[in-house]
Amino acid sequence: MGIYELSLAIIVCINIVLALGLNLITGYCGQISLGHAAFFGIGAYTVGVLAKAGFPSAVCIFAAILMAGFIGIIVGTASLRVRDDFLAITTMGVGFLFLGIIRQQEGLLGGEMGLSGIPTIGFDKPGFLVIAFIAVILCSALSLYIKRSWMGFAFDAVATDEDTAKLLTVDVAAYKLTAFALGTAMAGLAGGLYCYFTRFIMPDDFGFLTSISVLSMVAVGGIGSVPGVIIGTALLTLLPEMSTFLSDYKLLFYGAMLFAVMRFAPEGIAGIGTRVVQIYGRRGDAK
Amino acid sequence: MSVLLNVRNVTMHFGGVHALTDVSFQVMQGEFLSLIGPNGAGKTTMLRAITGVVTPQFAKVELGGVSIVGLPIHKRARLGMAMTNQIVRPFVTMNLLDNVALAAGHRRIATVLKAVSSVDKGAERKKAQELLDMLGIGKHTQENIQGQPLGVLKRLEVARALALEPKLLLLDEPLAGLNHIEAARLADVIVEINKQGLTVVMIEHNLGEVLRVSGRLVVLDNGRKIAEGDPQIVMRQPKVRAAYVGKEAEDAAA
């Protein structure tokens, strides 16, 4: 693998961690978020500031996870009163609020100019890929475990019909906050890795377009499905890299993919996969 | 017999609509009480006020002597209340079995920490299967919700409520939409559960079944309680007949 391929693989891994976080909030618990990039940014800026202050990388990454998860709980608490479209608008607002704050803080956070000169994590590119890959494995394993546990069961109930869930003793608010905390903590981890990877971060990296891109990855892959989200993220990250045309019209491409999925296969790639297996299985039975 | 549910002076207005005006009644431990009245009388609103889905302008509600006013819905449910919806609301992403198993696992999902540390669903699914068998829909357990007839979904609502192991079962028109035989069979199951000690409050329009199974009636009309007591005696009262048959009957009688 050359440097370029290594870098691509790392970016794919970081995006998968980011998308798995959104999948916990939107896919598992049914809470739409259009501000996921803000938590990605919180993780990145936490690492940026702490690493420049000389803290060891493990401490910085850990702090990024905690910081994003903590602010995720605060935003989640504020979001408990709103649902559906209103939640989408609220989380979108959180994204813009985050950008606004970053842009104004020229001293600590570098303002429009961003943060540069971030120290290295202490590994070369292949080593970094291993770390990013471990992060993917851990987040996937956690997601899959949650889905199997009673927590995933309760999330499913909250996502499908929260009023009925309440009548069945489910503490809907507690589960929503948990989903926000876990999902945003994963975004914080992704942000921390991203910051160490590029070693230069700017407010625009964490804007609304990033939020929409992550949402596209989750939706195209299949909302709620871990393998689907991994495939969707890899696809939407790599395709624009393979073709200059797609790269130039990246957002148009994402938009078209999102539209195509919503119109023709609302369950995404995961749903198509399940259907193919079913048809194939039925044919097998017929023989 | 002790009072299980004590409802005092419930008043609920939606804008200019007086859904409930100063309604009080009590439910005794182990009783089978039916809440009847014409459409728009406020019966469903009353059940929703008890479970906390709506917040009345004024109400005193005690369950087992403890005031539950101001508690959120899930906490009231944990105190031992289960309600079925008039318009069925199954979780469409789960099969029938898991709809009931989730409710059967209400202790496991009581806190997020407990929920995340337990995986095995065997015991709860077994219990869910027993409940679905008891309601006569045991052979549908692995099927999806989509395409199920209303008769099955209505019984699923009851099975899910029972899975919570409640002290008080609130049923909102459980028999509506069922045919004759299904309705009688479900009513029999509810009677059987009631005989085993579960207190039941049921809203129902199927007066034949109501008179057959209820121990006592509370009649609402236009948001006010107009009668209460033994079913046969209550149904003979002119104001109850007028509320049901219509004002013309009252005029004709006069």
Side-chain angles (χ1 to χ4, degrees), chain B residues 34-93:
Chain B
S34 285
L35 199 55
I36 65 165
N39 285 326
K43 306 179 297 291
T44 297
T45 306
M46 177 50 90
L47 280 205
R48 290 191 174 157
I50 294 169
T51 52
V53 176
V54 296
T55 312
Q57 275 77 14
F58 187 83
K60 284 185 194 160
V61 185
E62 290 176 355
L63 183 71
V66 182
S67 173
I68 57 170
V69 173
L71 287 183
I73 301 167
H74 71 272
K75 286 200 175 145
R76 295 188 191 203
R78 281 180 197 174
L79 288 173
M81 283 202 274
M83 182 173 97
T84 68
N85 295 300
Q86 179 182 1
I87 296 159
V88 293
R89 291 180 74 165
F91 294 116
V92 289
T93 49

Side-chain angles (χ1 to χ4, degrees), chain A residues 191-267:
Chain A
L193 290 173
Y194 179 78
C195 179
Y196 270 127
F197 174 65
T198 59
R199 296 173 62 196
F200 167 56
I201 49 176
M202 276 178 53
D204 279 348
D205 298 345
F206 314 105
F208 183 59
L209 293 180
T210 310
S211 290
I212 292 292
S213 301
V214 185
L215 191 64
S216 307
M217 291 169 189
V218 173
V220 168
I223 295 169
S225 156
V226 171
V229 167
I230 292 175
I231 294 171
T233 307
L235 210 63
L236 261 62
T237 311
L238 292 179
L239 283 181
E241 296 294 334
M242 289 173 180
S243 134
T244 359
F245 175 77
L246 286 183
S247 177
D248 290 346
Y249 295 95
K250 191 163 145 184
L251 284 170
L252 190 66
F253 168 61
Y254 283 6
M257 287 289 276
L258 199 55
F259 174 80
V261 163
M262 287 303 154
R263 174 65 185 81
F264 299 109
E267 282 165 21

Side-chain angles (χ1 to χ4, degrees), chain A residues 22 32-40 88 91-96 208 211:
Chain A
L22 184 62
I32 181 108
S33 172
L34 293 180
H36 202 57
F39 301 98
F40 186 45
T91 50
M92 196 160 109
V94 168
F96 289 125
F208 183 59
S211 290

Side-chain angles (χ1 to χ4, degrees), chain A residues 25-49:
Chain A
I25 300 170
T26 304
Y28 283 14
C29 203
Q31 307 305 302
I32 181 108
S33 172
L34 293 180
H36 202 57
F39 301 98
F40 186 45
I42 288 167
Y45 273 92
T46 305
V47 162
V49 170

Side-chain angles (χ1 to χ4, degrees), chain A residues 127-209:
Chain A
F128 200 104
L129 178 60
V130 170
I131 291 176
F133 192 68
I134 291 172
V136 168
I137 300 284
L138 289 179
C139 291
S140 307
L142 180 64
S143 296
L144 289 170
Y145 171 76
I146 287 173
K147 190 79 197 165
R148 277 182 60 226
S149 75
W150 278 85
M151 187 153 100
F153 209 0
F155 276 159
D156 202 2
V158 173
T160 316
D161 183 349
E162 59 178 271
D163 295 323
T164 302
K166 282 180 191 164
L167 282 171
L168 298 178
T169 74
V170 178
D171 186 350
V172 169
Y175 281 96
K176 279 189 189 175
L177 283 184
T178 307
F180 267 103
L182 290 173
T184 54
M186 280 189 195
L189 170 62
L193 290 173
Y194 179 78
C195 179
Y196 270 127
F197 174 65
T198 59
R199 296 173 62 196
F200 167 56
I201 49 176
M202 276 178 53
D204 279 348
D205 298 345
F206 314 105
F208 183 59
L209 293 180

